[in-house]
Amino acid sequence: PILLNFVEATGSKTGALFPTGKRLEQINGIDVSLVDATMPAIILKAPDVGVTGYESAAELDANRDFFATVEEMRLEAGLRMGLGDVAKSVVPKIMVVAPPRDGGVITSRYFVPMKTHTSHAVTGAVTLACCIGAEGTVTDGIEDKGSIIDDAMEIEHPSGRLGVTLKLHDEGNRIEVEAAGIVRTARLLFSGEVMVPEEALAAAPAA
């Protein structure tokens, strides 16, 4: 495993983890959290927009009514987050969440924004982890915080799970993200020996 830490990720585009100053608010009568860690995003619960949160990317892409609903919410989120008219922008992103089914902390579907990601963006995973780590957000009650071990959690997505690490200090009116990162892996490609003649070693300059 290789840990990739994001430095100064909080408020990447807006200057604050919660740009509106609220951890939970409503858009069109639906609970949302507007979060900006490595990527500004609107996060909402799947059943609130007529899906389960466990659909495949292809199933969600075919649901145009769903996309019409969340896109209208995304446009309003952009205004509230100080990003202006985001009709022609890919931010804020959309994340739809549901309880985990396979030992992770939460299930997420990530949109880019008018197409479902076949797995999950790394930046979106860090943003979602910050939402989970903070109290009083839209993920309260659906995440499994018991699955978080040594600040590490796994987010379930259409293609599997993505590991995230988070050190977040939440003191009510003050919230600080000390470190946020992604756990990636590397595969050994080659291991071997090179035969070097003794005379070549003897002629080599001293290090």
Side-chain angles (χ1 to χ4, degrees), residues 3-6 122 125-126 129 153 163-167 179-183:
L3 177 61
L4 305 177
N5 270 321
F6 288 82
V122 166
V126 172
M153 65 184 81
V164 186
T165 62
L166 177 71
K167 290 185 178 180
I182 293 291
V183 178

Side-chain angles (χ1 to χ4, degrees), residues 67 74 89-94 110-118 121:
F67 274 96
R74 190 184 77 88
S89 174
V90 297
V91 294
K93 303 293 189 182
I94 303 163
Y110 183 89
F111 303 90
V112 288
M114 295 301 290
K115 184 175 176 62
T116 313
H117 201 296
T118 55

